[in-house]
Structures are given as C-alpha cells and as structure tokens.
C-alpha cells in the first residue's frame, strides 16, 4: 500500500490530521516516517481493543436477542458472530467516513482493516465457549455463561494482539486505517 500521500514529509493534510486527533482509540500510534516499519505492541493492543469492543457489543447483543427469541445454540451463535462482524466493521467504517472517505471506500477500508482480526477473535472466543463444559446451555443469568464469554474474550485478545502486530507491521490490517487519518 502506498503511504506516500500520508507520509510525504512535505505538506500536511490538516483536515486528515484533525480527523486523526478526533478518532478515539488511535491516538499515539503513529507510523514511522516513510513507511510501515515495525508495529509497536501498544499499537497492536489498541487495534485489538478496538476490534474487541465491536466484537463484544455484537456478540453479547446476538446472544441476548437469540435467547430472548428462544432460539437454540446454533442460530444464536450465528447471529452473535454476524453481529460481532457488523459492529466490529462499523467502528472502523464510521471513523473513516468522518475522515472524509466515501462510503464505498470506507467499506473497503473496514473490510481490509478488520476482517482477519475479527475472524481470529471470533474463532477463538467461540471455541472457548463451545469447549467450556455447560457454557452452551447456560442462561444469561448464569455466572458460567458470563465467565466463559469473558474468558473467551480474554484469550481471544491475547491471541489476536500478536496477529494484529504482525499485520500492522506489514502495512495490513489496522494499518490500512492510518492512510485516512
């Protein structure tokens, strides 16, 4: 990906900089001048927390809706995963739209920035829940449900952070967002 427009060392786009300053969760992870360089662990943690926030909102909402509608485990899990992707993408989508990118371009950036991160996070989280004895049959009011879910998020965070660090260091994943702010 060509970052020359963002890091040309010459004129600076103040509107893009202002959009960057207002983009919560991204302050403090500037790219090295002239390219991707190595990604810091701090940058990877912030990218993963950004992803985890959208995933958690979507997944919890999906489980609440599926449970309220009396659905079984499989359709509830499918809804939760679909909403995790939708909310995960939407956080990036809204940020790059605020930075001035058109909708089509913003969708491409969100897909490029978050797909791998959300997929890894959802895979790990749902495997943890599925492998925790009794968690799939626990109700929203059960401590087992919440401990399996939160434990799954914690393990997913620990596994996804190095994935994001590796991707950002190569100009992929969340690094794509930095072109637009």
């Amino acid at each position: 990906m060509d970052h020359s427009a963002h890091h040309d060392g010459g004129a600076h786009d103040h509107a893009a900089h202002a959009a960057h300053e207002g983009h919560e969760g991204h302050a403090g992870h500037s790219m090295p001048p002239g390219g991707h360089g190595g990604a810091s662990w701090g940058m990877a943690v912030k990218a993963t927390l950004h992803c985890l926030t959208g995933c958690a909102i979507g997944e919890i909402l999906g489980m609440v809706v599926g449970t309220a509608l009396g659905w079984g485990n499989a359709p509830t899990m499918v809804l939760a995963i679909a909403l995790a992707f939708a909310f995960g993408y939407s956080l990036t989508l809204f940020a790059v739209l605020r930075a001035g990118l058109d909708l089509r371009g913003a969708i491409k950036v969100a897909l490029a920035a978050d797909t791998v991160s959300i997929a890894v996070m959802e895979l790990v989280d749902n495997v943890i829940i599925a492998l925790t004895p009794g968690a799939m049959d626990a109700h929203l009011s059960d401590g087992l449900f919440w401990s399996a879910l939160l434990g799954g998020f914690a393990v997913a965070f620990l596994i996804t952070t190095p994935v994001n660090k590796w991707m950002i260091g190569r100009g992929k994943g969340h690094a794509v967002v930095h072109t637009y702010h």
Side-chain angles (χ1 to χ4, degrees):
M1 169 158 284
D2 179 15
H3 288 277
S4 60
H6 188 64
H7 298 290
D8 62 1
H12 184 69
D13 183 349
H14 293 287
H17 180 64
H20 177 79
E21 292 300 319
H23 186 71
E24 296 176 42
H26 295 287
H29 56 178
S30 60
M31 293 297 231
H36 309 296
S40 71
W41 281 106
M43 182 185 293
V45 165
K46 287 179 183 181
T48 307
L49 286 173
H50 174 91
C51 178
L52 179 63
T53 300
C55 288
I57 292 168
E59 193 159 331
I60 291 169
L61 181 61
M63 290 187 183
V64 168
V65 169
T67 299
L69 295 175
W71 292 358
N73 289 337
T76 298
M77 190 175 266
V78 168
L79 176 63
I81 292 169
L83 289 176
F85 273 91
F87 278 89
Y89 287 139
S90 70
L91 293 179
T92 298
L93 182 67
F94 294 137
V96 294
L97 284 171
R98 279 193 315 250
L101 197 61
D102 63 75
L103 181 60
R104 181 179 168 105
I107 290 170
K108 287 180 180 181
V109 168
L111 292 172
D114 294 331
T115 299
V116 171
S117 183
I118 295 170
V120 170
M121 193 163 292
E122 284 301 300
L123 175 68
V124 171
D125 175 52
N126 284 285
V127 165
I128 298 289
I129 293 169
L131 294 178
T132 301
M136 292 296 291
D137 296 319
H139 297 280
L140 295 175
S141 60
D142 293 339
L144 176 61
F145 167 80
W146 291 102
S147 62
L149 181 65
L150 297 177
F153 286 150
V155 173
F157 175 82
L158 293 174
I159 291 173
T160 306
T161 299
V163 171
N164 282 334
K165 183 180 185 306
W166 182 82
M167 289 179 56
I168 293 166
R170 282 148 188 77
K172 308 258 185 243
H174 198 74
V176 175
V177 175
H178 291 279
T179 304
Y180 300 98
H181 56 78

